[in-house]
Amino acid sequence: MTAWSQHKGKAIALTLENIDTDQLIPARFMSTPRAEGYGDFLLHDMRKTSDGAPIPDFPINRHPEASILVAGRNFGSGSSREAAVYALVDFGIRAVIAPSFGDIFAANAVNNGLLPARVTDEDAARLLARLGAGPVELSLDIETRTLSLDNQTMPFSLSAPWAEKLINGWDDIDLTEHHRPAISAYRARRAETQPWVFPAEDTAG
Amino acid sequence: MTTLLDKLWAAQEIVKSADGRSLLWVDRHLVHEGSHHAFAKLAARGARVAEPRLTFGVVDHYAPTRGPAASPAIARMIDTLEQNAAQHRVPCFGLNDPRQGIVHVVGPEQGLTLPGLLVTCGDSHTSTHGAFGALAFGIGATDVAHVLATQTIWQSKPKSMRLTVTGALGPGVGAKDIALAWIAKLGTGGAQGHAVEYAGEAVRALSMEGRMTLCNLSIEGGARFGMVAPDETTFSYIEGRPYAPKGAGFDEAVAYWRTLNSDTDAAFDRDVTIEAAEIAPIVTWGTSPEDALPVTATIPNPSQASEADADRITATIDYMGLTPGKALTEVEIDQVFIGSCTNARIEDLRAAAAVLAGRRAKVPGLVSPGSRQVKAQAEAEGLDRIFAQAGLEWVGSGCSMCVAMNGDSVAPGKRCASTTNRNFRGRQGRGARTHLMSPAMVAAAAVTGRLTDVRPMLKGRDAA
Ligand code: SF4
């Protein structure tokens, strides 16, 4: 994934709470190979009619150039489908700003270079009000955990390990390879002291 | 002073990084058709599955429940999993395997899920396995690839929360009602960032099936995962299952499992208590699991809600096609679904059959057992005939209408009483209207064609 620490882009408001992963990408699109791109599936059933025609006044239809979304609490709750993050990323979204996120969604976001920026309920309400029908230019800085617009800054929260991953573009597998000896030692110890944790070899055939 | 979470976490921790993340050993990694992104990532790195013996494939999300796969794309998803599993020498309970079923039903059923293990799967309802006193959580595709490649996972330790359910549940009230009750009380973000340990007499009294239902729904309350400390109920469920330890190994395991509980003086970051006797059968009315009310209640009225809530309630009522202020029991349904990793185990099917025996359903519906083994057992008990005589369709095992990936779906605007876990907009199909409830409550709704309090219908019956 691409490393980044600062971004300036157009932010738009999605004044909804509990935008779950089934809304971010309906299940029927998930058999698509990633190479085909997931951007068109983003919020599909909210922004398109049942014949597939775009609903003109849906925020991301009005402003497909947006790269930052501001939304209500509990964004990305629900399923572990990373496809929800692929849909956002492939659409061109770099950050989502909300008072809270589904835990698995946030982890998936960071794994794909998408910033889940947590702000307080009050700041979220203030941002949503300021954006209105948007878009508004907004800058994000992961190092300082701040966002700024209209010459004002506002803090957001993001855990230290997640900030580091985004800034360095780290892939966990590479990181974990450094711990190979510790992993092997752990495995050997577990097999020695608690052999029953390894399943009986194929039993039923 | 330590909690169950502390004990389980410490046992899995290989190293801790300077920034506070733990590298944890994964004992069981379950994969399904949706894991194709992760296998593709592995292939892109030219990596192999690190521990094929600890990895198990299950066909469930796209499994057809009637006849062949509904489309070539769906058939391809199933083939891809079976091919990936074969290529990496991972055991796979494929479409034609008698052990096939929903991943969170199959793991426990086969004795793969045990106390004191760490179980991961690319599916949020992996929390189900916590019912055994295991650390079990869902992960996304990048992390699935990481587990495949290394058999480990990086995680920050969640905060601890204890949810105590005191006293005894009333008749006709079960684990699903406990879960919906606490989520309604605390909200979908109520347990965010926390691991929930369920405790109290009402939880101890639950069977393993009930505990799995409870832990399954932890995720709907925002929890990272759920857990129940193992006890005799757990041990007797496990004994004799195909992959469970045998003989001396089993005794050794049980001795260790007995140590897996929170110390009496353990402090939790959050402690919540609910009274079992106060829980009524619950149904959801809206599009979030927190939109849950006792079936005796009325549909919320936006004009009586706070300004902040009114818009959301109005939009929800509009999507759901409801009338504010009307009694929930007046809401007519179009169909029912009994299935999913939440409520399609044998006990769930018995509970539904106890209500349906000798009665006819007014609406059509599907009954999809959680696994082929559950199906066989239900048939041996004659439950399939009760469903068929009631007019419901007895079909094969898989995720089916829980997620509408295999072609089974609820048509736009149709209203379904469902034993599943998510009432999100479009979850059961575009424009579908889902009401979540227990299997007994779905059976009651099938009989009357409306949302219904099951309790009077259980009079004189043995509510299994
Ligand atoms: S039954 Fe539903 S919730 Fe359970 S694993 Fe399948 S899709 Fe997920």
Side-chain angles (χ1 to χ4, degrees), chain A residues 60-133:
Chain A
I60 61 171
N61 290 342
R62 262 189 288 119
H63 300 289
E65 76 282 13
S67 61
I68 301 166
L69 294 181
V70 184
R73 75 180 169 98
N74 211 19
F75 187 93
S77 52
S79 119
S80 63
R81 59 182 74 161
E82 200 159 295
V85 172
Y86 302 159
L88 286 158
V89 169
D90 291 358
F91 189 86
I93 304 296
R94 307 287 299 279
V96 182
I97 301 167
S100 58
F101 295 91
D103 280 336
I104 310 179
F105 171 84
N108 291 342
V110 171
N111 279 333
N112 288 277
L114 175 74
L115 165 66
R118 252 181 104 131
V119 293
T120 62
D121 286 307
E122 298 72 46
D123 282 348
R126 215 173 305 151
L127 274 174
L128 288 169
R130 167 68 186 86
L131 263 54

Side-chain angles (χ1 to χ4, degrees), chain B residues 155 181 195 224 253 278 288 291 308 353 358 380 383 386 403 441:
Chain B
Q155 288 285 300
R224 193 73 184 82
E278 285 170 11
S288 162
D291 300 335
L383 305 183
I386 295 177
V403 71
M441 286 287 287

Side-chain angles (χ1 to χ4, degrees), chain B residues 60-61 102-104 123 125 216 340-342 399 402-403 421 427:
Chain B
D60 58 1
H61 283 68
I102 305 170
V103 63
H104 310 311
D123 186 280
H125 292 99
N216 175 279
S340 87
C341 61
T342 307
C399 297
C402 172
V403 71
N421 44 51
R427 169 79 175 184

Side-chain angles (χ1 to χ4, degrees), chain B residues 186-201:
Chain B
L186 302 183
T188 48
Q192 220 149 40
H194 289 75
V196 178
E197 180 180 347
Y198 297 95
E201 299 96 310

Side-chain angles (χ1 to χ4, degrees), chain B residues 19-343:
Chain B
D19 59 24
R21 287 200 305 166
S22 305
L23 183 65
L24 304 175
W25 174 257
V26 177
D27 293 297
R28 301 286 185 272
H29 186 205
L30 308 172
V31 294
H32 55 83
E33 305 94 304
S35 309
H36 68 102
H37 289 296
F39 278 106
K41 283 173 198 282
L42 202 66
R45 296 181 71 96
R48 301 281 311 160
V49 172
E51 297 278 353
R53 263 185 74 197
L54 303 182
T55 312
F56 293 84
V58 183
V59 170
D60 58 1
H61 283 68
Y62 292 83
T65 49
R66 289 162 287 180
S71 74
I74 289 172
R76 192 187 66 220
M77 290 296 282
I78 297 169
D79 289 346
T80 304
L81 173 72
E82 294 183 352
Q83 280 163 21
N84 279 325
Q87 194 194 335
H88 289 274
R89 298 183 193 287
V90 165
C92 183
F93 308 140
L95 207 48
N96 297 315
D97 192 298
R99 300 165 296 180
Q100 178 269 340
I102 305 170
V103 63
H104 310 311
V105 177
V106 169
E109 188 173 79
Q110 289 300 321
L112 288 167
T113 307
L114 304 172
L117 301 189
L118 173 58
V119 182
T120 59
C121 172
D123 186 280
S124 55
H125 292 99
T126 307
S127 59
T128 312
H129 308 260
F132 290 79
L135 284 180
F137 46 85
I139 52 179
T142 302
D143 285 336
V144 170
H146 186 276
V147 179
L148 288 174
T150 68
Q151 201 60 27
T152 64
I153 180 119
W154 288 101
Q155 288 285 300
S156 300
K157 191 176 174 185
K159 286 190 250 169
S160 63
M161 171 167 158
R162 178 167 55 190
L163 199 133
T164 308
V165 191
T166 55
L169 293 168
V173 183
K176 184 70 160 279
D177 302 299
I178 301 180
L180 291 175
W182 84 253
I183 296 165
K185 182 174 159 146
L186 302 183
T188 48
Q192 220 149 40
H194 289 75
V196 178
E197 180 180 347
Y198 297 95
E201 299 96 310
V203 174
R204 285 285 140 226
L206 291 175
S207 64
M208 285 318 295
E209 285 84 352
R211 294 177 191 184
M212 285 189 252
T213 301
L214 192 56
C215 288
N216 175 279
L217 287 157
S218 305
I219 195 81
E220 282 5 292
R224 193 73 184 82
F225 48 90
M227 292 173 293
V228 177
D231 58 13
E232 297 307 323
T233 305
T234 322
F235 312 146
S236 59
Y237 177 98
I238 294 168
E239 191 165 13
R241 297 202 174 253
Y243 286 96
K246 307 266 171 351
F250 182 75
D251 298 339
E252 209 183 293
V254 170
Y256 173 66
W257 295 341
R258 286 188 201 285
T259 68
L260 297 176
N261 45 44
S262 291
D263 298 341
T264 41
D265 58 352
F268 290 80
D269 296 311
R270 194 154 176 219
D271 231 327
V272 177
T273 301
I274 52 178
E275 184 65 55
E278 285 170 11
I279 303 174
I282 294 187
V283 297
T284 64
W285 58 271
T287 55
S288 162
E290 70 190 4
D291 300 335
L293 287 168
V295 64
T296 48
T298 53
I299 293 158
N301 199 330
S303 65
Q304 285 159 19
S306 70
E307 209 185 312
D309 289 342
D311 286 353
R312 194 184 90 78
I313 295 176
T314 305
T316 303
I317 283 180
D318 181 48
Y319 177 86
M320 292 296 291
L322 299 170
T323 312
K326 205 165 141 179
L328 280 165
T329 50
E330 284 173 38
V331 175
E332 293 189 354
I333 58 161
D334 299 300
Q335 64 196 94
V336 300
F337 177 65
I338 297 174
S340 87
C341 61
T342 307
N343 278 131

